[in-house]
Amino acid sequence: MLTLAIETSCDETSCAVIKDGREVLSNIISSQIDIHRKFGGVVPEIASRKHIEAINNIIQEALDKADITFNDLDLIGVTQGPGLVGALLVGISAAKALAYGLDIPLIGVNHIEGHICANYIEHKDLKPPFTCLVVSGGHTYLLNVKGYTEYELVGRTRDDAAGEAFDKVARSIGLPYPGGPFIDKLSKEGDKDSIPFPRVYLDDNSYDFSFSGLKTAVLNYINQTQQKGEEIVVENVAASFQQAVLDVLVDKSFRLAKEAGSDKIVIAGGVAANQGLREMLEDRGKKENINIYYPSRILCTDNAAMIGSAAYYHYINDEKSDLSLNVEPNLGLN
Ligand code: KG4
Ligand code: ZN
């Protein structure tokens, strides 16, 4: 079963061909990041225009790389939301045109679910149920994944997403956008115990997150240090901030896994590329007999292969979208 998938929710125009939901025949990702970096973040109108310019070529490239033609395709999958409305519209319009023209089924995919499914591509034996932490630029979710299309949402951020906090703190210490990978790298050279930034656990039983207080604490630290005329050691700021985020993410993930009786923690989304997060989960996983899963870096950040995997599992679950499919910029998980 060959699925052609399209992802245009933010600033990557991506198209992939996936076999049977797990095997990547091609995964073309065209990033606009160099354009948006000049503005310190993604500019929605520019993103939409760039998607329009790129989409047809990216689709053709995905077919060529997979060494197939349109007529070999069985299914079209496309990101329906959440994301930028104009950007999503470009992908959904292309997907509808293909499904109609080729007379094959169409599936609208939740982008967050796509991030989770990146793990099915990476780990061929991974099956639900498992505990899952989704940490991306726009979302932070803690879930019990009960089946391939069945999710129980247990916790979410009450303010900033984890990736958003990384990006804002990175900006405050003069790093380029998106700052997550730069903080990750700098952290390795800093002392994570040098600055006591707050860990926000909310109340004892909560699986929710809050990162805006931590972000403010970092900004206050920078201002106060500058006012005192002291030098800011960016490596120490990066390492101490990152550790404050990771302590909470890791702690809540393990608490949920234990409560759910799960021996698997799966992480997904851009921040799942973070080396510190992976190592911390693995160290604790070894002590507590919990296996840790994450996708390779290229499958952590936005790509169409993960959308193809999610589309496949919805299709075999007898679901189908029709040509009235519309974008849902604020789509949640359930
Ligand atoms: O999943 P993603 O590509 O886009 C969304 O769906 O939001 O995630 C992008 C986010 C950005 O905030 C970026 O800074 C963060 O993932 N990120 C990282 C790392 N690589 C990407 N954050 C921390 N460490 C990393 N290595
Ligand atoms: Zn994403």
Side-chain angles (χ1 to χ4, degrees):
M1 169 117 194
L2 291 181
T3 304
L4 181 129
I6 297 174
E7 152 66 38
T8 61
S9 68
C10 192
D11 61 337
E12 266 96 24
T13 318
S14 182
C15 183
V17 178
I18 300 297
K19 190 175 171 195
D20 298 332
R22 295 228 181 200
E23 193 187 331
V24 179
L25 301 191
S26 64
N27 188 18
I28 310 295
I29 306 166
S30 164
S31 175
Q32 310 169 357
I33 199 63
D34 290 342
I35 301 159
H36 298 287
R37 193 168 276 147
K38 293 183 202 128
F39 303 95
V42 176
V43 183
E45 184 57 30
I46 296 177
S48 315
R49 286 167 193 240
K50 292 288 159 194
H51 284 310
I52 291 176
E53 286 168 21
I55 189 83
N56 286 346
N57 289 337
I58 300 296
I59 290 171
Q60 191 57 53
E61 251 186 79
L63 291 173
D64 292 347
K65 181 88 194 292
D67 202 16
I68 60 164
T69 68
F70 282 122
N71 292 328
D72 297 314
L73 295 171
D74 301 298
L75 177 68
I76 304 289
V78 63
T79 306
Q80 183 183 10
L84 303 170
V85 61
L88 289 164
L89 260 173
V90 177
I92 247 181
S93 307
K96 282 193 204 175
L98 285 172
Y100 180 68
L102 299 170
D103 195 20
I104 56 176
L106 172 70
I107 305 266
V109 171
N110 184 316
H111 179 82
I112 309 295
E113 216 184 320
H115 275 301
I116 299 168
C117 291
N119 281 285
Y120 299 136
I121 295 172
E122 190 73 42
H123 307 287
K124 304 295 179 215
D125 300 328
L126 178 66
K127 290 192 190 105
F130 51 79
T131 296
C132 185
L133 172 71
V134 182
V135 269
S136 74
H139 307 274
T140 307
Y141 288 126
L142 203 45
L143 332 138
N144 290 315
V145 176
K146 301 195 151 184
Y148 284 106
T149 60
E150 200 190 338
Y151 304 92
E152 182 190 17
L153 185 59
V154 182
R156 62 194 309 162
T157 181
R158 295 193 187 165
D159 39 59
D160 291 356
E164 196 179 349
F166 269 91
D167 295 341
K168 287 178 179 168
V169 164
R171 190 177 183 155
S172 74
I173 50 174
L175 299 171
Y177 177 86
F182 295 97
I183 297 255
D184 191 6
K185 221 167 145 203
L186 268 188
S187 289
K188 294 183 186 121
E189 293 151 34
D191 175 2
K192 62 183 169 45
D193 300 317
S194 55
I195 311 163
F197 289 133
R199 274 71 172 154
V200 181
Y201 289 95
L202 304 166
D203 59 85
D204 283 355
N205 298 322
S206 177
Y207 285 113
D208 281 351
F209 301 95
S210 167
F211 296 112
S212 76
L214 171 59
K215 175 192 68 191
T216 309
V218 176
L219 296 179
N220 287 344
Y221 170 83
I222 291 170
N223 287 337
Q224 284 160 8
T225 310
Q226 279 169 341
Q227 274 164 13
K228 284 191 246 164
E230 291 171 10
E231 192 199 343
I232 293 162
V233 184
V234 286
E235 292 83 358
N236 287 348
V237 176
S240 301
F241 158 76
Q242 177 167 299
Q243 196 56 44
V245 175
L246 301 191
D247 279 351
V248 180
L249 292 177
V250 170
D251 209 69
K252 294 201 183 214
S253 302
F254 274 86
R255 186 152 62 80
L256 180 60
K258 282 205 181 126
E259 188 193 85
S262 168
D263 63 354
K264 293 179 208 141
I265 294 177
V266 173
I267 57 171
V271 184
N274 187 275
Q275 191 65 30
L277 176 61
R278 293 171 169 199
E279 284 170 9
M280 204 177 157
L281 285 167
E282 279 173 337
D283 284 350
R284 189 153 159 192
K286 274 187 204 127
K287 289 183 197 127
E288 301 189 21
N289 283 326
I290 291 187
N291 293 315
I292 308 298
Y293 298 82
Y294 46 80
S296 53
R297 269 167 216 278
I298 194 70
L299 291 173
C300 283
T301 45
D302 292 347
N303 69 88
M306 66 186 199
I307 303 301
S309 176
Y312 170 82
Y313 285 108
H314 279 282
Y315 182 71
I316 59 172
N317 196 37
D318 268 347
E319 296 169 41
K320 232 164 105 183
S321 306
D322 60 33
L323 293 176
S324 67
L325 180 73
N326 205 351
V327 296
E328 292 221 26
N330 298 316
L331 189 61
L333 248 188
N334 50 4

